[in-house]
Amino acid sequence: MGLVVQKYGGSSVADAEGIKRVAKRIVDAKKNGHQVVVVVSAMGDTTDELIDLAGQVSPIPSGREFDMLLTAGERISMALLAMAIKNLGHEAQSFTGSQAGVITDSVHNKARIIDVTPGRIRTALDEGNIAIVAGFQGVSQDKKDITTLGRGGSDTTAVALAAALDAEVCEIYTDVDGVFTADPRVVKKAKKIEWISFEDMLELAASGSKVLLHRCVEYARRYNIPIHVRSSFSGLQGTWVSNEPTGDSKVEQAIISGVAHDTSEAKITVVGVPDKPGEAAAIFRAVADAEINIDMIVQNVSAASTGLTDISFTLPKAEGRKAIDALEKAKSAIGFDSLRYDDQIGKISLVGAGMKTNPGVTADFFRALSDAGVNIELISTSEIRISVVTRADDVNEAVRAVHTAFGLDSDSDEAVVYGGTGR
Amino acid sequence: MGLVVQKYGGSSVADAEGIKRVAKRIVDAKKNGHQVVVVVSAMGDTTDELIDLAGQVSPIPSGREFDMLLTAGERISMALLAMAIKNLGHEAQSFTGSQAGVITDSVHNKARIIDVTPGRIRTALDEGNIAIVAGFQGVSQDKKDITTLGRGGSDTTAVALAAALDAEVCEIYTDVDGVFTADPRVVKKAKKIEWISFEDMLELAASGSKVLLHRCVEYARRYNIPIHVRSSFSGLQGTWVSNEPTGDSKVEQAIISGVAHDTSEAKITVVGVPDKPGEAAAIFRAVADAEINIDMIVQNVSAASTGLTDISFTLPKAEGRKAIDALEKAKSAIGFDSLRYDDQIGKISLVGAGMKTNPGVTADFFRALSDAGVNIELISTSEIRISVVTRADDVNEAVRAVHTAFGLDSDSDEAVVYGGTGR
């Protein structure tokens, strides 16, 4: 029995009852002979309440102080969780991100972990304690200021600690039973995935699946830490994410892992761009300088008569305004006609390692969309993913159609079989 | 213009409006040319809410985790205050007790400051920042665990920082206008004291005055840091506490500084103690071993016929149960008859350096009590204080009678004059 890292999200520790339920589960793991490190998020709505308070004193809170404020949330949940565990007769100690050795860069509100030095955690474990660590936070290497890791940061804390402590597994406890073949709110027949490779999980995360964030999976893959995503409300096995099937899951990798969708993006089309070298570079330099992450890019075929072309790209809606401003500012330098902004788009992605060896997948995907009457606006592919942009209104119908077409529905006898092995 | 340390209590920063009001006051001090360090308590009821949460998960929360929990309170208020100041166009940075270099012993929930190493505060000030520091908290020297200083700890943080930074003054902002000659809730004609010596303030604090705690005044005296106690709601001068009159106050020390009262104590009488050497020592050893602080002690004259005597002492009501248990356990070893517990007592104290040179003070004090029909149960004196224990029901009347008798009422033309100078 080795060391396990468990991570509990805010919904699992939303109130005193939740904290006591989680404490019992942690103690069970300890009783089973494991050394246990627990990463915990802030209770339920705490973070939102703190953000609201900040808004009341300042319209643009300083990054450093905002991080100082938000980290109070985990401080509360971790201390309460340690108390609840001690009340069950087991030793526990809580640690801030800084005390746990989570060293980050200095980018407040979305810092990146650059090192983990868990000396105090190791000592606490060796003394027989369960170690409780504040998720989502760290301390900056240069200024020793408190930082936060941004959305989903507690998952990353858990994986980073698991890597630094050479854990057997990083268990991510949440309010769903695992990773599903599609969002169960959209596809009622979505199935829980028993095992998925890091690569497929990365593509799902990049394509809109919310269960695990891209950065966290990336970290786990780099250090080869198996992740077990499961519910803190049930005792069920969840989804294993790893290089090879591990734990109780002996399953083969499916040809298709799942269907993801994303309606959080917008599309900007730069109209009337001179079709000459350097134009696209100028456009995306302007956008990159504004620190905007773009997703898909498509350049239309140039109309021979005008020598002008259109370039479209997608980006998070939240950054739309900033991108438009940046491009307008560079308009004369770049020399385009106009900008079109469209936030009524959606993206549907099919993810699976089986695509590499099954050329029929792409054709079947387009056929399914076509049969459902869904019009395709942009296409982008990777080795193991194919994504299309459609009207936002079409997204749910498109996801269901694709899910059914690839035999992923839970009452299908089995998944669609291609000539290849799918591995 | 030098460095000032300002401390704001929880009632001054109870909500966003309070925080913004306090931020303006802090910025005013900065505009006046001061370097400003601010010590802040948790907002309004935050600490009580956190204590309530702790009670929901554990009946006896661990000291270490309880401190971790409670320190979230100041983290919230200090970050919000820094944001509010920055919103007014001034630079501010918040620091936890640990970051500010407040080093304590390891006694959780009532740690003592053993060193202050404010390197980061000094740097922040030198860079033009207003430094906001979490009150009430520190970090233990040996284990590097988060500690809290106990009740009134934020005042002590402020004075300790003022000493370490060689501040001109430590301003304690609160919801009253200063230190009064008696509790204004009991004595309507109580007057604000313009200046009071450390010694008299120490005696008032030890005698039940709640405005400043004993430990904080002791610290200020040791390092000779003038304290200015004033309201955060008005711009009025408050009360200066120092070795010699400072600031705008040019007043002479009064013969009598004020009348304090305390109804938080109980009296234990050990009945039928053999009147021989070592008996009192045995009793108070038993009480001390239970870590109980006692206040007044009186041994009655032994009755010649029995060779037995009674010993009475007072102690905080909250520790009554523990003291009784400790004494019962030692009963056979000590050899007393029985214990009497009385929590319906009150203490009235008259404090003033003038007592040293004015022997009439004591007589006048007893006369005032006698005229008011108040029966005296115990008496204890120091060079500059005289205290009596009475029935709890008599306390308010006794305080008013003494206040009037010594000419302290606000509509008196002047204070009572004795032969001495009062200095």
Side-chain angles (χ1 to χ4, degrees):
Chain A
M1 290 293 188
L3 189 154
V4 301
V5 174
Q6 300 186 331
K7 180 262 173 176
Y8 294 92
S11 58
S12 299
V13 292
D15 53 22
E17 286 315 306
I19 286 171
K20 288 193 271 190
R21 191 188 66 244
V22 164
K24 283 206 194 79
R25 186 178 280 275
I26 293 166
V27 165
D28 285 345
K30 172 84 175 168
K31 282 184 187 160
N32 285 338
H34 290 287
Q35 286 193 311
V36 187
V37 175
V38 176
V39 173
V40 66
S41 303
M43 294 170 72
D45 303 326
T46 308
T47 303
D48 289 340
E49 288 164 14
L50 292 174
I51 291 171
D52 180 54
L53 264 176
Q56 289 177 43
V57 301
S58 174
I60 314 158
S62 134
R64 180 187 188 278
E65 300 307 325
F66 201 61
D67 282 354
M68 186 67 97
L69 178 72
L70 293 190
T71 51
E74 289 81 33
R75 200 176 188 85
I76 294 170
S77 56
M78 75 190 199
L80 291 172
L81 188 52
M83 287 176 195
I85 291 170
K86 289 170 81 82
N87 198 41
L88 296 175
H90 288 258
E91 288 305 312
Q93 288 192 336
S94 68
F95 297 92
T96 64
S98 173
Q99 290 176 335
V102 179
I103 316 290
T104 73
D105 62 21
S106 295
V107 184
H108 284 292
N109 309 343
K110 48 179 180 178
R112 281 188 167 267
I113 295 176
I114 53 184
D115 196 9
V116 181
T117 53
R120 291 188 67 174
I121 304 298
R122 186 67 83 183
T123 302
L125 293 173
D126 290 346
E127 291 172 357
N129 288 288
I130 295 166
I132 315 291
V133 179
F136 176 69
Q137 58 178 252
V139 61
S140 69
Q141 191 167 42
D142 52 353
K143 293 188 181 166
K144 310 294 176 220
D145 281 335
I146 302 303
T147 52
T148 66
L149 307 177
R151 202 164 66 91
S154 292
D155 289 0
T156 310
T157 304
V159 170
L161 270 171
L165 292 163
D166 198 21
E168 260 178 18
V169 58
C170 180
E171 297 184 330
I172 306 280
Y173 285 91
T174 176
D175 51 4
V176 296
D177 284 334
V179 182
F180 281 73
T181 51
D183 185 337
R185 287 167 300 186
V186 173
V187 182
K188 290 220 162 40
K189 294 180 172 178
K191 285 185 296 197
K192 186 177 75 189
I193 300 172
E194 289 189 58
W195 173 78
I196 184 171
S197 68
F198 285 131
E199 287 69 23
D200 279 17
M201 192 65 232
L202 279 172
E203 292 284 3
L204 282 181
S207 304
S209 167
K210 300 284 190 300
V211 186
L212 288 177
L213 284 190
H214 194 270
R215 191 194 286 192
C216 155
V217 183
E218 208 173 46
Y219 211 110
R221 178 172 66 162
R222 193 185 327 150
Y223 293 98
N224 193 20
I225 299 296
I227 296 178
H228 186 188
V229 184
R230 58 197 305 195
S231 166
S232 73
F233 296 86
S234 78
L236 299 175
Q237 283 280 313
T239 300
W240 284 83
V241 188
S242 62
N243 266 331
E244 297 291 331
T246 41
D248 300 337
S249 61
K250 302 275 183 288
V251 291
E252 285 283 292
Q253 176 152 25
I255 292 171
I256 298 301
S257 284
V259 186
H261 71 278
D262 189 353
T263 52
S264 71
E265 296 197 331
K267 181 176 72 172
I268 290 177
T269 302
V270 189
V271 179
V273 181
D275 192 6
K276 61 178 194 212
E279 284 297 304
I283 287 170
F284 292 111
R285 168 55 49 204
V287 176
D289 285 349
E291 296 194 354
I292 291 162
N293 291 312
I294 59 171
D295 181 20
M296 297 164 73
I297 301 176
V298 171
Q299 177 166 349
N300 296 354
V301 176
S302 174
S305 58
T306 60
L308 296 179
T309 185
D310 297 344
I311 294 181
S312 296
F313 62 93
T314 62
L315 76 174
K317 276 178 194 168
E319 300 190 332
R321 186 72 255 163
K322 207 160 55 160
I324 294 286
D325 289 347
L327 287 169
E328 287 291 0
K329 209 174 288 176
K331 184 172 179 177
S332 61
I334 301 171
F336 58 85
D337 276 352
S338 60
L339 296 172
R340 277 209 299 267
Y341 182 74
D342 177 1
D343 62 3
Q344 294 303 308
I345 63 162
K347 186 172 70 167
I348 300 108
S349 302
L350 187 69
V351 171
M355 278 185 210
K356 291 186 203 172
T357 46
N358 292 293
V361 169
T362 306
D364 289 351
F365 181 61
F366 290 135
R367 164 65 53 201
L369 292 171
S370 160
D371 287 351
V374 174
N375 193 41
I376 297 169
E377 303 187 7
L378 298 178
I379 300 172
S380 131
T381 58
S382 82
E383 242 194 331
I384 58 171
R385 174 186 52 78
I386 177 161
S387 302
V388 297
V389 166
T390 68
R391 288 291 89 200
D393 289 345
D394 289 339
V395 164
N396 288 358
E397 184 52 36
V399 170
R400 282 189 287 264
V402 171
H403 197 265
T404 301
F406 282 90
L408 298 171
D409 290 354
S410 58
D411 55 3
S412 293
D413 285 345
E414 54 184 314
V416 170
V417 176
Y418 288 89
T421 64
R423 290 298 301 279
Chain B
M1 289 296 188
L3 191 155
V4 300
V5 174
Q6 300 187 331
K7 179 261 173 177
Y8 294 91
S11 58
S12 299
V13 292
D15 53 21
E17 286 315 305
I19 286 171
K20 287 193 270 189
R21 191 189 64 243
V22 164
K24 282 206 196 82
R25 186 178 281 275
I26 293 167
V27 165
D28 284 345
K30 172 85 174 165
K31 282 185 188 160
N32 285 338
H34 291 287
Q35 286 193 311
V36 187
V37 175
V38 176
V39 173
V40 67
S41 302
M43 293 169 72
D45 303 325
T46 308
T47 303
D48 288 340
E49 287 165 15
L50 292 174
I51 291 172
D52 180 54
L53 266 175
Q56 289 177 43
V57 301
S58 175
I60 314 159
S62 134
R64 180 185 188 279
E65 301 307 325
F66 201 62
D67 281 354
M68 187 67 96
L69 178 71
L70 293 191
T71 50
E74 289 81 35
R75 202 176 187 87
I76 294 169
S77 56
M78 76 191 198
L80 291 173
L81 188 53
M83 289 177 192
I85 290 170
K86 289 170 81 82
N87 197 42
L88 296 175
H90 288 257
E91 288 305 313
Q93 288 192 336
S94 68
F95 296 92
T96 64
S98 174
Q99 290 176 335
V102 179
I103 317 290
T104 72
D105 61 22
S106 293
V107 184
H108 284 293
N109 309 343
K110 47 177 181 179
R112 279 187 169 270
I113 296 175
I114 53 185
D115 197 10
V116 180
T117 53
R120 293 188 66 173
I121 304 300
R122 184 68 80 184
T123 302
L125 292 173
D126 289 347
E127 290 171 0
N129 288 287
I130 294 166
I132 315 292
V133 178
F136 177 68
Q137 58 178 251
V139 62
S140 69
Q141 191 168 41
D142 52 352
K143 294 186 179 166
K144 310 292 176 221
D145 282 334
I146 302 304
T147 53
T148 65
L149 307 178
R151 201 164 67 88
S154 292
D155 289 1
T156 311
T157 303
V159 171
L161 271 171
L165 293 164
D166 198 21
E168 258 177 22
V169 58
C170 179
E171 297 183 331
I172 306 279
Y173 285 90
T174 179
D175 51 6
V176 295
D177 283 334
V179 182
F180 280 73
T181 51
D183 185 337
R185 287 168 300 184
V186 173
V187 182
K188 292 217 160 40
K189 295 180 171 174
K191 285 184 295 197
K192 187 176 73 186
I193 301 172
E194 289 191 55
W195 173 78
I196 184 172
S197 68
F198 285 129
E199 287 69 25
D200 278 17
M201 193 63 231
L202 279 173
E203 292 283 2
L204 282 180
S207 305
S209 168
K210 300 285 189 300
V211 185
L212 287 177
L213 284 188
H214 194 269
R215 191 194 286 192
C216 154
V217 182
E218 208 173 47
Y219 212 109
R221 179 174 64 164
R222 192 183 330 147
Y223 293 97
N224 194 19
I225 299 295
I227 297 177
H228 187 187
V229 183
R230 57 198 302 194
S231 166
S232 73
F233 296 85
S234 78
L236 298 176
Q237 283 280 312
T239 299
W240 284 84
V241 188
S242 62
N243 265 331
E244 296 290 330
T246 40
D248 300 336
S249 61
K250 302 276 185 288
V251 290
E252 285 282 291
Q253 176 154 25
I255 292 172
I256 299 300
S257 285
V259 186
H261 73 277
D262 189 353
T263 52
S264 71
E265 297 197 333
K267 180 175 73 171
I268 290 177
T269 303
V270 188
V271 179
V273 181
D275 193 6
K276 59 181 193 203
E279 285 296 303
I283 288 170
F284 292 110
R285 168 53 51 200
V287 175
D289 286 349
E291 295 192 354
I292 292 161
N293 291 313
I294 59 170
D295 180 20
M296 297 165 74
I297 301 176
V298 170
Q299 177 167 350
N300 296 353
V301 176
S302 175
S305 55
T306 61
L308 296 177
T309 186
D310 297 345
I311 295 181
S312 296
F313 62 91
T314 63
L315 77 176
K317 275 178 194 168
E319 301 191 331
R321 186 71 256 163
K322 208 162 53 160
I324 294 285
D325 289 348
L327 286 169
E328 287 289 359
K329 211 174 286 176
K331 184 173 178 179
S332 60
I334 301 172
F336 57 84
D337 276 352
S338 61
L339 296 172
R340 277 209 299 267
Y341 181 73
D342 177 1
D343 62 4
Q344 294 303 308
I345 62 163
K347 187 171 72 168
I348 300 108
S349 302
L350 186 69
V351 170
M355 279 186 211
K356 290 186 205 174
T357 44
N358 292 294
V361 168
T362 306
D364 288 351
F365 181 59
F366 289 135
R367 164 64 54 199
L369 292 171
S370 160
D371 286 352
V374 174
N375 193 40
I376 298 169
E377 302 186 9
L378 297 177
I379 301 171
S380 131
T381 59
S382 82
E383 240 193 332
I384 58 172
R385 174 186 54 79
I386 177 163
S387 301
V388 295
V389 166
T390 68
R391 287 294 86 200
D393 289 345
D394 289 339
V395 164
N396 288 0
E397 184 50 38
V399 170
R400 283 189 285 265
V402 171
H403 198 265
T404 303
F406 282 89
L408 298 170
D409 291 356
S410 59
D411 55 3
S412 292
D413 283 345
E414 55 184 314
V416 169
V417 177
Y418 289 89
T421 64
R423 293 297 299 280

